[in-house]
Amino acid sequence: MDLAVWRSFVTVCRLGSLSAAAVELHHTQSAVSRQIAGLEQHLGVELLERHARGVRPTAAGEVFRRHALATLDEADRALRAVRDVRDGARDRPLAVGATPSLAAGIVPEAVRALLDEAGPLRWSLRPGLTAALHERVLAGDLDVAVVTDAPPGLPHEPRLVRRFLGLDEMVVALPAGHPRAGGGPVDVGGLAGETWAEDDAGSAALLRQHAARAGVTVRVGLAAADLPGKLALVATGHAVALIPGVLARALRPDVTTARLVGAPTRGIYAIAPRRDAHPSVGPLLVRLGAAFGGPA
């Protein structure tokens, strides 16, 4: 079978739309439709069903999608491995993933320290949430990712090495000039009357758990699409927000922070494949550990 057709099918399933997949794949919609129809004819079963907003895999289609995705991931790894042999390990780019707060400071700083010590290295930084980064390391898209155990947690995966880097204490982000800014640690009960903004379920869970332990309820009244959006709501005085402590030094000037009494924490981990590790992963882990107070 032509793996390009498999890739088209997987893309259609991910986007839920033939037209959107055609745009991403730089094909016409009719070409993608013909590819799917040919695949269905070859397999003798319908793989997609239409609904009001697009298409979704049938039961057979979902089974095929999972196996196709694994096959495509392995094919991509094979191509990268051959290129690495051709180009030499020193020329192999390092693909680094990180959650948004860690991508905003800690991880780039650690890579900078690595480059200053070891010399030039082609590398890329790909932000994402922990669950997605975990899957991308497993798939071979990332050589290493810096993630957290915030809800819903970090899966245990024997195919990956997991290294604990340190604990990150959550803080509350406040607009500059807020009455609670600049003082000592704040009890969350003193902020119970505030509107809170959140951008993901994990952070919201930490906030609600912390408030429950303090015997208060907080009102998450505003939702943001991402971390910059949450900080924009804080900066403009619409809300306060729970944010990672590692982000504090990278904040925009119209946002400040205050520590919380009994603040919630999250563990920070680096994950990498057990096999075929990039030669720069080990040295980078040393620099990341140093950033959290470990030995350099």
Side-chain angles (χ1 to χ4, degrees):
M1 283 186 178
D2 184 355
L3 290 185
V5 177
W6 292 32
R7 199 175 299 278
S8 294
F9 175 73
V10 168
T11 304
V12 169
C13 292
R14 174 168 53 83
L15 298 176
S17 165
L18 290 167
S19 58
V23 171
E24 181 170 307
L25 296 165
H26 304 291
H27 295 331
T28 64
Q29 183 173 338
S30 60
V32 174
S33 296
R34 287 195 300 272
Q35 286 180 320
I36 302 302
L39 187 57
E40 290 177 324
Q41 183 178 4
H42 180 85
L43 295 173
V45 64
E46 288 189 355
L47 298 174
L48 294 175
E49 60 183 7
R50 296 186 179 275
H51 61 92
R53 297 185 178 179
V55 296
R56 61 187 167 217
T58 62
E62 177 58 22
V63 170
F64 182 74
R65 183 197 67 83
R66 292 197 300 267
H67 287 281
L69 188 58
T71 299
L72 291 169
D73 287 340
E74 191 59 32
D76 289 341
R77 286 174 62 87
L79 291 174
R80 285 194 297 271
V82 170
R83 293 187 187 116
D84 290 344
V85 172
R86 180 195 67 193
D87 299 336
R90 293 183 63 183
D91 294 326
R92 176 179 167 187
L94 176 68
V96 182
T99 61
S101 59
L102 293 160
I106 289 288
V107 172
E109 290 168 6
V111 175
R112 179 72 271 163
L114 173 66
L115 298 181
D116 288 345
E117 182 177 307
L121 170 70
R122 288 188 297 148
W123 74 287
S124 61
L125 178 60
R126 304 174 191 178
L129 299 182
T130 291
L133 294 172
H134 185 270
E135 291 304 311
R136 295 188 72 179
V137 175
L138 273 178
D141 294 334
L142 296 173
D143 296 301
V144 61
V146 188
V147 297
T148 83
D149 63 3
L154 182 60
H156 174 70
E157 173 51 63
R159 289 173 291 176
L160 300 182
V161 174
R162 180 166 70 178
R163 175 169 173 176
F164 176 71
L165 298 175
L167 285 177
D168 180 29
E169 182 179 290
M170 305 295 284
V171 298
V172 59
L174 305 167
H178 189 282
R180 296 280 183 169
V186 178
D187 190 295
V188 70
L191 298 170
E194 299 275 0
T195 296
W196 292 74
E198 274 304 343
D199 63 323
D200 72 77
S203 179
L206 281 177
L207 172 61
R208 290 193 172 98
Q209 290 168 5
H210 176 65
R213 285 194 295 270
V216 299
T217 301
V218 294
R219 182 168 64 92
V220 180
L222 290 171
D226 52 24
L227 190 53
K230 181 161 77 171
L231 293 175
L233 291 173
V234 173
T236 50
H238 292 292
V240 299
L242 189 70
I243 65 168
V246 294
L247 187 62
R249 56 184 171 182
L251 288 177
R252 48 192 288 175
D254 47 5
V255 174
T256 188
T257 64
R259 295 186 65 188
L260 285 166
V261 175
T265 60
R266 58 182 192 159
I268 308 298
Y269 295 83
I271 55 175
R274 288 191 180 276
R275 300 177 59 186
D276 303 322
H278 189 288
S280 294
V281 165
L284 178 60
L285 294 183
V286 173
R287 304 313 308 175
L288 286 166
F292 283 92

